[in-house]
């Protein structure tokens, strides 16, 4: 999908990209809670990121924020054990879980910033704190 994203962007085929994302969302997203379908957690994160970006580009702010909030909540659960450990003892996968959460928070902050909302600041601050914790 990553390669297709860049190909579609470079060739001006955004409508086709959107259609592709819409087609694959049901395979990765649990319709009950918006989280990942079992066994598809890693891919869900990417697919949901594409979905958020499309909503953002279409100025569907409520949908972009809702989807990104789901990403942040999932990231928090995924990083919970890593966040409880000292930074110096983190393994590669744990650092990646924290990094993913930080990116999700930054994205949520950006959506809120574009809307002119002050609650963007705590999201940005937490993203920065997490990034510094893992040396990013």
């Amino acid at each position: 999908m990553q390669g297709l994203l860049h190909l579609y962007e470079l060739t001006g085929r955004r409508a086709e990209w959107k259609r592709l994302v819409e087609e694959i969302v049901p395979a990765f997203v649990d319709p009950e809670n918006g989280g990942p379908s079992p066994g598809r957690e890693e891919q869900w994160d990417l697919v949901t990121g594409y979905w958020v970006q499309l909503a953002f580009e279409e100025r569907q702010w409520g949908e972009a924020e809702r989807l990104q909030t789901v990403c942040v909540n999932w990231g928090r659960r995924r990083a919970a054990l890593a966040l409880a450990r000292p930074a110096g003892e983190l393994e590669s996968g744990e650092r990646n879980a924290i990094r993913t959460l930080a990116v999700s928070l930054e994205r949520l902050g950006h959506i809120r910033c574009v809307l002119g909302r002050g609650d963007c600041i705590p999201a940005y601050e937490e993203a920065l704190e997490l990034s510094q914790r893992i040396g990013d």
Side-chain angles (χ1 to χ4, degrees), residues 61-66 69 108-124:
W61 309 120
E63 180 70 352
E65 183 177 20
R66 181 190 71 77
T69 299
L108 181 60
H110 183 66
I111 292 166
R112 291 174 175 171
C113 180
V114 168
L115 294 171
R117 292 177 27 197
D119 60 347
C120 67
I121 295 170
Y124 281 141

Side-chain angles (χ1 to χ4, degrees), residues 8 10 31 55 68 87 90 119 123:
Y8 282 24
L10 290 171
Q68 193 59 44
L90 294 172
D119 60 347

Side-chain angles (χ1 to χ4, degrees), residues 20-112:
L20 178 61
V21 171
E22 289 172 346
E23 286 179 22
I24 66 168
V25 161
F28 295 94
V29 178
D30 182 334
E32 298 286 322
N33 59 24
S37 295
R40 300 217 168 155
E41 292 81 5
E42 295 302 318
Q43 299 87 1
W44 170 86
D45 194 38
L46 283 172
V47 170
T48 304
Y50 302 146
W51 198 6
V52 169
Q53 186 61 36
L54 287 167
F56 185 86
E57 289 170 0
E58 293 175 355
R59 299 177 185 270
Q60 296 176 351
W61 309 120
E63 180 70 352
E65 183 177 20
R66 181 190 71 77
L67 291 168
Q68 193 59 44
T69 299
V70 172
C71 290
V72 167
N73 292 338
W74 177 77
R76 283 192 198 289
R77 288 189 301 275
R78 187 170 172 245
L81 293 175
L83 292 169
R85 294 188 48 178
E89 296 177 13
L90 294 172
E91 296 179 17
S92 175
E94 293 170 317
R95 286 183 189 288
N96 190 51
I98 293 172
R99 182 178 298 110
T100 299
L101 174 57
V103 169
S104 288
L105 283 160
E106 188 280 330
R107 211 170 195 188
L108 181 60
H110 183 66
I111 292 166
R112 291 174 175 171

